[in-house]
Amino acid sequence: MQIEKSVAIVGSGLVGSLLAIYLRKQGHKVTVFDRRPDVRQVEFSGRSINLAMSNRGWKALREAGIEDEIRKLALPLDKRAMHVEGQPIYYQKYGDDGEAIYSISRGVLNRKMIDLAEAAGTEFRFEEKVWDVDMPNARLYTGESEKSKWKEYQFDLIFGADGAFSRIRHKMQRQSRFNYSQHFIDVGYKELSIPANADGSHKLDRGSFHIWPRGEFMLIAMPNLDGSFTCTLFMPFEGETSFETIKTEKDADLFFETHFSDIKDEISNLKRDFFRNPTSAMVTIKCFPWSYYDKITLVGDSAHAIVPFYGQGMNAGFEDISLLNHKMNLHGDDWEKVFEEYQTERKPNADAIAELSYRNFIEMSSKTADPVFLLRKKIEKKFSEKHPELWTPLYSRVTFSSKTYAEALEIGDYQRGIMDEVMNTPGIEEKWDSEEIENKILSLIKK
Amino acid sequence: MQIEKSVAIVGSGLVGSLLAIYLRKQGHKVTVFDRRPDVRQVEFSGRSINLAMSNRGWKALREAGIEDEIRKLALPLDKRAMHVEGQPIYYQKYGDDGEAIYSISRGVLNRKMIDLAEAAGTEFRFEEKVWDVDMPNARLYTGESEKSKWKEYQFDLIFGADGAFSRIRHKMQRQSRFNYSQHFIDVGYKELSIPANADGSHKLDRGSFHIWPRGEFMLIAMPNLDGSFTCTLFMPFEGETSFETIKTEKDADLFFETHFSDIKDEISNLKRDFFRNPTSAMVTIKCFPWSYYDKITLVGDSAHAIVPFYGQGMNAGFEDISLLNHKMNLHGDDWEKVFEEYQTERKPNADAIAELSYRNFIEMSSKTADPVFLLRKKIEKKFSEKHPELWTPLYSRVTFSSKTYAEALEIGDYQRGIMDEVMNTPGIEEKWDSEEIENKILSLIKK
């Protein structure tokens, strides 16, 4: 246990709530501010992608003692279900037997996390907007608007868990020598949904992550406990087939009829939802430093927002908290050391998962239709199944391991180098599953 | 001439003043806002590096009809004077006969530019702080502080010329899909100075850019009209030899005695100035888009701040204005088209000079002492002197040409590829000036 501090967390999202639970366990007084209303009392936004909890996330929940509670909200998905045009559905297992990612609705999870944090003694201050921070003195200023009269709060420590467009980071950014970047991709997303059958059962296999790949755009669907699926359409903002070109309900209807005829009729209120739900942007945010002496630090998206194509955003944020807690146990009340080691150890891993997520976006948008790429994946899969001790696929390193993201990226690059050489073998298309190729990989690994 | 518009320029620096002159020539009503006092009425800051005007800058001044006025303030430098420890001074010519860069004090130039803009009918509003912009309506809000009562101004067009930490860009940055990065380097700089001799003459050769390279740090000196030199010390913020380690006047004295004994006694008030003048940071800023419909655009550092190691910051900013003016002549009152073509054409060139400037920083900090690097430069120089029609050095493309920065970077990379191959020649150290090497370069160029 540390000496009790008065702690503010800005942001009541998933990472902020988890942090509150950890800090309460350490014996601190915790106040969470959020500019939005209590998510337990309002309808969720219609702009969210379902979450895929994987090992890193579960580990952080386990250490906080809330894994079992959250498991009840999650559905295991042990495979992808690929809905390729003109082909029967086929399945790709994610990992070994028993390995799965877990689909959870963001709204359902967030409500539960807030319940748990509140039960642990956290004070939540919803609809209270933080506008400024006095960093050296750990003071927060809240109020109705940026120009209204503000209320001042004095804390010992402040955590910025206020997401990609963090107000706390915004203030830190005004310091000299603060490095920062925000990079938006040209693809947006829109939430849609498939309701349950009348008997409450799922309309598609509930143990799969469903993907309808279509080259420049794709639809995905992830199951919810109530029998529904949350769907997400990813598509360029501008260009030939893009959100920009779908202007009317007739356009939307025609678009789905042309490209998703097998699922179109299952999507509820397609034409209404397409225009009612926003088209959201996706951004990679990097910054450094994350901490200000022993006063302030950033966690989750406010420190490292990433694009969602590896399903690791929440997992990475939860792992931040797990690491912070580890540093608290190690360094007790030396908060400057806690924050310093946290940011120094975590930054390369945040950069690594940002890079991996961005690469997955590029891969999904430009390579899923490329036969050479698919052949490459097939060779890699075959080899790793035969020699699991020699070759753990990158996806498994990221998703089913708790070794660092930076290591996963490094080994992934090393494996990529080997596969580049393998793919240069003359006649690889014919002999891809020959002993020659297997031996080639073995000899390259041993180099 | 365009239809008269009411135009605001935020920032009365070099680029803002030049833009004002151009816009007055086009017949517009121009108001320039600056949060700082009139630079003509205060002592200049003690945190500036002298400017090196090169061809791009002169071209923009010529088109504005003020080249001759500014020439009077500038001293031509046709060579580097290298003050290497333990060696006699040696000189490196910048280009062909007649080619030179021009040293100008930032304060002197800025005052003159404001005089000229004012004489052309620009209204200057100094010490008036812009806090907010209503982008769709081109309204500016000014006031004493962010929370004080603001004054509202209505314009037709607004230009952000307010530098690396632009308030206008800050507002644009809140838009979704606005890409932005700020990257600080680990090296800082400090201004020092060498006064004139009693008779007003210069203490060092006034036709040279003086450099004292010392590996991890360096001192430079550029002449002023009044016989003085403005010096800049570039050095890491932290580390073994760094600004951080020089804490007392004694430390400063010892540092200069150890590393700059040949010039130390000429630097005036060294110990006082070292602590009175700030240690400044250097940043590369990139963003996009620069424009908001037909209402707002960014120019100069606010759109593309770069590190100073190519001496192109001001030149690049002036070239922005030159291009904007060209687009005004082309598209008249279609401001959306003016802004759109300006940003689309200019962005790759801004990125290119940012990259070139950063590379020069890396080169200066880590390679000037590397014999392989110096040999490489020697081979390149010899070849380009013998075959000027086949090989224009990168420095000349950037400094003495008005072809695009992007082209300079591209051809520079191509030349680098050739030099990589040349440097791989076995025994290159012995035969670097042989016919064999000359022929090798010739054959590589022809490929």
Side-chain angles (χ1 to χ4, degrees):
Chain A
M1 287 274 280
Q2 299 167 297
I3 293 171
E4 182 181 355
K5 297 278 182 188
S6 177
V7 181
I9 298 172
V10 182
S12 72
L14 304 170
V15 173
S17 310
L18 180 63
L19 175 59
I21 294 168
Y22 269 99
L23 289 172
R24 285 295 302 147
K25 277 187 178 283
Q26 293 276 2
H28 301 293
K29 187 173 176 307
V30 182
T31 310
V32 177
F33 292 84
D34 203 304
R35 55 203 303 108
R36 294 161 307 181
D38 187 344
V39 70
R40 295 169 299 185
Q41 286 158 25
V42 294
E43 208 195 329
F44 210 65
S45 68
R47 55 181 298 158
S48 104
I49 306 168
N50 259 33
L51 299 162
M53 188 84 73
S54 60
N55 281 34
R56 296 168 201 274
W58 288 122
K59 180 166 174 280
L61 295 173
R62 193 175 313 132
E63 288 164 10
I66 60 171
E67 180 184 15
D68 295 344
E69 286 285 332
I70 306 300
R71 287 266 180 202
K72 296 176 195 157
L73 311 176
L75 284 168
L77 314 179
D78 63 354
K79 58 192 175 302
R80 290 187 199 94
M82 303 296 291
H83 302 252
V84 177
E85 260 182 314
Q87 288 182 30
I89 302 174
Y90 65 92
Y91 298 91
Q92 300 172 325
K93 279 205 67 172
Y94 276 125
D96 300 335
D97 283 345
E99 286 183 332
I101 60 173
Y102 289 77
S103 174
I104 311 187
S105 140
R106 179 180 289 267
V108 168
L109 178 60
N110 206 159
R111 287 176 189 129
K112 184 68 180 180
M113 298 285 291
I114 291 173
D115 278 344
L116 293 169
E118 204 168 56
T122 305
E123 182 194 358
F124 282 87
R125 302 189 69 88
F126 294 105
E127 295 181 76
E128 185 159 354
K129 295 171 187 150
V130 171
W131 293 108
D132 203 4
V133 198
D134 171 349
M135 302 207 300
N137 297 303
R139 289 194 188 114
L140 282 183
Y141 298 89
T142 69
E144 251 325 287
S145 76
E146 206 156 356
K147 294 206 77 183
S148 68
K149 201 171 147 46
W150 290 346
K151 195 168 163 185
E152 180 185 300
Y153 291 89
Q154 174 72 60
F155 292 97
D156 299 315
L157 307 167
I158 297 172
F159 291 86
D162 48 344
F165 300 99
S166 168
R167 193 78 194 181
I168 305 297
R169 189 192 63 231
H170 185 261
K171 179 77 179 189
M172 295 174 93
Q173 200 180 320
R174 302 231 192 150
Q175 299 168 98
S176 187
R177 302 183 66 200
F178 185 82
N179 290 328
Y180 175 74
S181 72
Q182 60 184 46
H183 174 79
F184 286 86
I185 57 175
D186 293 332
V187 165
Y189 71 87
K190 191 179 285 287
E191 181 182 324
L192 296 167
S193 95
I194 297 172
N197 288 316
D199 64 358
S201 63
H202 289 81
K203 282 197 203 287
L204 300 165
D205 176 52
R206 58 172 257 171
S208 297
F209 183 108
H210 295 269
I211 306 182
W212 291 259
R214 295 294 183 267
E216 294 300 295
F217 52 95
M218 69 172 172
L219 183 73
I220 64 168
M222 293 176 79
N224 297 310
L225 280 181
D226 65 3
S228 68
F229 280 85
T230 302
C231 304
T232 315
L233 174 65
F234 294 95
M235 185 159 67
F237 283 105
E238 292 95 13
E240 205 175 332
T241 307
S242 68
F243 283 112
E244 183 190 53
T245 60
I246 300 178
K247 291 197 175 73
T248 63
E249 295 203 347
K250 212 175 136 189
D251 294 341
D253 199 60
L254 183 64
F255 170 76
F256 275 86
E257 189 57 46
T258 308
H259 299 291
F260 302 107
S261 58
D262 57 326
I263 193 68
K264 171 175 177 271
D265 294 339
E266 316 297 342
I267 299 175
S268 65
N269 295 309
L270 171 61
K271 287 180 282 188
R272 187 199 65 187
D273 282 4
F274 193 92
F275 294 99
R276 197 182 60 170
N277 290 342
T279 306
S280 302
M282 286 169 280
V283 67
T284 301
I285 288 179
K286 296 182 181 177
C287 67
F288 204 78
W290 293 353
S291 302
Y292 182 85
Y293 300 95
D294 59 347
K295 298 296 180 203
I296 298 177
T297 201
L298 303 174
V299 292
D301 284 359
S302 70
H304 50 74
I306 60 180
V307 294
F309 300 96
Y310 228 114
Q312 285 295 311
M314 170 190 59
N315 289 288
F318 281 10
E319 210 176 38
D320 289 354
I321 306 306
S322 185
L323 179 64
L324 258 175
N325 192 55
H326 173 65
K327 295 297 175 191
M328 289 184 236
N329 291 335
L330 217 55
H331 303 303
D333 303 307
D334 187 347
W335 283 96
E336 189 156 353
K337 199 160 181 183
V338 169
F339 287 172
E340 178 57 35
E341 288 195 5
Y342 155 70
Q343 70 174 358
T344 309
E345 276 182 40
R346 196 64 186 143
K347 171 67 173 165
N349 293 308
D351 287 347
I353 191 60
E355 174 66 21
L356 287 164
S357 303
Y358 185 74
R359 285 190 195 172
N360 252 22
F361 159 63
I362 299 292
E363 209 170 284
M364 282 168 137
S365 26
S366 60
K367 292 193 186 154
T368 41
D370 174 4
V372 177
F373 175 76
L374 295 174
L375 178 61
R376 187 183 178 112
K377 288 282 161 192
K378 212 154 64 172
I379 297 168
E380 203 181 326
K381 183 157 187 277
K382 192 185 166 203
F383 185 84
S384 84
E385 280 169 2
K386 186 150 180 199
H387 302 281
E389 75 293 353
L390 291 178
W391 194 284
T392 306
L394 179 56
Y395 184 86
S396 294
R397 287 186 192 279
V398 171
T399 310
F400 301 123
S401 146
S402 56
K403 292 202 178 170
T404 68
Y405 289 129
E407 184 190 293
L409 176 60
E410 193 189 328
I411 297 175
D413 281 345
Y414 168 74
Q415 290 177 338
R416 189 164 64 161
I418 290 174
M419 288 306 298
D420 284 348
E421 286 200 47
V422 169
M423 295 306 289
N424 278 335
T425 313
I428 185 71
E429 292 81 359
E430 289 74 43
K431 57 184 169 190
W432 68 272
D433 62 348
S434 66
E435 208 170 317
E436 179 192 337
I437 294 301
E438 183 186 341
N439 287 332
K440 183 161 189 175
I441 302 179
L442 282 169
S443 74
L444 286 167
I445 290 180
K446 272 157 199 163
K447 263 206 283 198
Chain B
M1 290 272 278
Q2 298 167 297
I3 293 170
E4 183 182 354
K5 297 281 183 187
S6 177
V7 181
I9 298 172
V10 182
S12 71
L14 303 170
V15 174
S17 310
L18 180 64
L19 175 60
I21 295 168
Y22 269 100
L23 289 172
R24 285 295 302 146
K25 278 188 176 283
Q26 293 275 3
H28 301 294
K29 187 170 176 309
V30 182
T31 310
V32 177
F33 292 84
D34 203 305
R35 56 203 302 109
R36 294 162 308 181
D38 187 344
V39 71
R40 295 169 300 185
Q41 287 158 24
V42 293
E43 208 195 330
F44 209 65
S45 67
R47 56 180 299 158
S48 103
I49 306 168
N50 259 32
L51 300 162
M53 187 85 72
S54 62
N55 280 34
R56 295 166 202 274
W58 289 122
K59 179 165 175 280
L61 295 173
R62 193 175 312 133
E63 289 165 9
I66 60 171
E67 181 184 16
D68 295 344
E69 286 285 332
I70 306 299
R71 286 267 179 201
K72 295 175 194 157
L73 310 176
L75 284 169
L77 313 180
D78 63 354
K79 57 193 175 301
R80 290 187 198 95
M82 303 296 292
H83 303 251
V84 177
E85 261 181 313
Q87 288 182 31
I89 301 174
Y90 65 91
Y91 297 91
Q92 300 173 326
K93 280 206 65 172
Y94 276 126
D96 300 334
D97 284 344
E99 286 183 332
I101 60 172
Y102 289 77
S103 173
I104 311 186
S105 140
R106 179 181 289 268
V108 168
L109 178 60
N110 206 159
R111 287 176 190 130
K112 184 66 180 180
M113 298 283 292
I114 291 173
D115 279 343
L116 293 169
E118 203 168 57
T122 305
E123 182 193 359
F124 281 88
R125 301 189 70 88
F126 294 105
E127 296 181 76
E128 186 160 351
K129 295 170 186 150
V130 171
W131 292 107
D132 202 4
V133 198
D134 171 349
M135 302 209 299
N137 296 303
R139 289 193 188 115
L140 282 182
Y141 298 88
T142 70
E144 252 325 288
S145 78
E146 205 156 357
K147 293 206 77 184
S148 67
K149 202 171 145 48
W150 290 345
K151 195 166 160 186
E152 180 185 301
Y153 291 89
Q154 173 73 58
F155 293 98
D156 299 316
L157 307 167
I158 297 173
F159 291 86
D162 48 345
F165 301 98
S166 168
R167 194 78 194 181
I168 306 297
R169 189 194 62 230
H170 184 261
K171 179 75 181 192
M172 294 173 94
Q173 200 181 318
R174 301 231 194 149
Q175 299 169 98
S176 187
R177 301 183 68 199
F178 185 81
N179 289 329
Y180 176 74
S181 72
Q182 60 184 47
H183 174 78
F184 287 85
I185 57 175
D186 293 331
V187 166
Y189 70 89
K190 191 179 284 288
E191 182 182 323
L192 296 166
S193 96
I194 297 173
N197 288 315
D199 65 356
S201 63
H202 289 80
K203 282 197 203 284
L204 299 166
D205 176 51
R206 60 173 257 172
S208 297
F209 183 108
H210 295 268
I211 307 183
W212 290 259
R214 295 293 183 268
E216 294 299 295
F217 52 95
M218 70 171 171
L219 183 73
I220 64 168
M222 293 176 79
N224 297 311
L225 279 182
D226 65 3
S228 67
F229 281 84
T230 302
C231 304
T232 315
L233 174 65
F234 294 96
M235 187 159 67
F237 283 103
E238 291 95 14
E240 205 176 331
T241 307
S242 68
F243 283 112
E244 184 190 51
T245 61
I246 301 178
K247 291 196 173 75
T248 64
E249 294 202 346
K250 212 175 136 190
D251 294 342
D253 200 59
L254 183 65
F255 171 75
F256 275 86
E257 189 57 45
T258 308
H259 299 292
F260 302 108
S261 59
D262 57 326
I263 193 67
K264 170 174 176 272
D265 294 340
E266 316 296 343
I267 298 175
S268 66
N269 295 310
L270 171 62
K271 288 181 283 188
R272 189 200 62 186
D273 281 5
F274 193 92
F275 294 99
R276 198 182 58 170
N277 290 342
T279 305
S280 302
M282 287 170 279
V283 66
T284 302
I285 288 179
K286 296 183 181 177
C287 67
F288 204 78
W290 294 352
S291 303
Y292 183 84
Y293 299 97
D294 59 347
K295 297 296 181 205
I296 298 177
T297 201
L298 303 174
V299 292
D301 284 0
S302 69
H304 50 74
I306 60 180
V307 294
F309 300 94
Y310 228 115
Q312 286 294 312
M314 170 190 60
N315 289 289
F318 281 10
E319 210 176 40
D320 290 353
I321 307 305
S322 186
L323 178 64
L324 258 176
N325 192 56
H326 173 66
K327 295 297 174 192
M328 290 184 233
N329 291 336
L330 217 56
H331 302 304
D333 303 307
D334 187 347
W335 283 97
E336 189 157 353
K337 199 161 181 182
V338 168
F339 287 172
E340 178 57 34
E341 287 195 5
Y342 155 70
Q343 70 172 359
T344 309
E345 275 181 38
R346 196 63 186 144
K347 172 66 173 163
N349 293 306
D351 286 347
I353 191 60
E355 174 67 20
L356 288 164
S357 303
Y358 185 74
R359 285 191 195 172
N360 252 23
F361 159 63
I362 298 293
E363 210 169 284
M364 283 168 137
S365 26
S366 61
K367 292 193 188 155
T368 42
D370 174 3
V372 177
F373 175 75
L374 295 173
L375 178 63
R376 188 184 176 110
K377 287 282 160 190
K378 211 152 67 171
I379 297 170
E380 204 180 325
K381 183 157 188 275
K382 192 187 165 200
F383 186 84
S384 84
E385 280 169 3
K386 186 149 181 198
H387 301 282
E389 75 293 353
L390 292 177
W391 194 284
T392 305
L394 179 56
Y395 184 85
S396 295
R397 288 186 192 278
V398 171
T399 309
F400 302 124
S401 145
S402 56
K403 291 201 178 171
T404 67
Y405 288 129
E407 185 190 293
L409 177 60
E410 193 188 328
I411 297 174
D413 281 344
Y414 169 73
Q415 289 177 339
R416 189 163 66 161
I418 289 174
M419 288 306 298
D420 284 347
E421 286 200 46
V422 169
M423 296 305 290
N424 278 335
T425 314
I428 184 70
E429 291 81 359
E430 288 74 43
K431 58 183 171 192
W432 68 272
D433 62 348
S434 67
E435 207 170 318
E436 180 192 335
I437 294 302
E438 183 185 341
N439 287 332
K440 183 159 188 176
I441 302 179
L442 283 168
S443 74
L444 286 167
I445 289 180
K446 272 158 198 160
K447 260 205 286 199

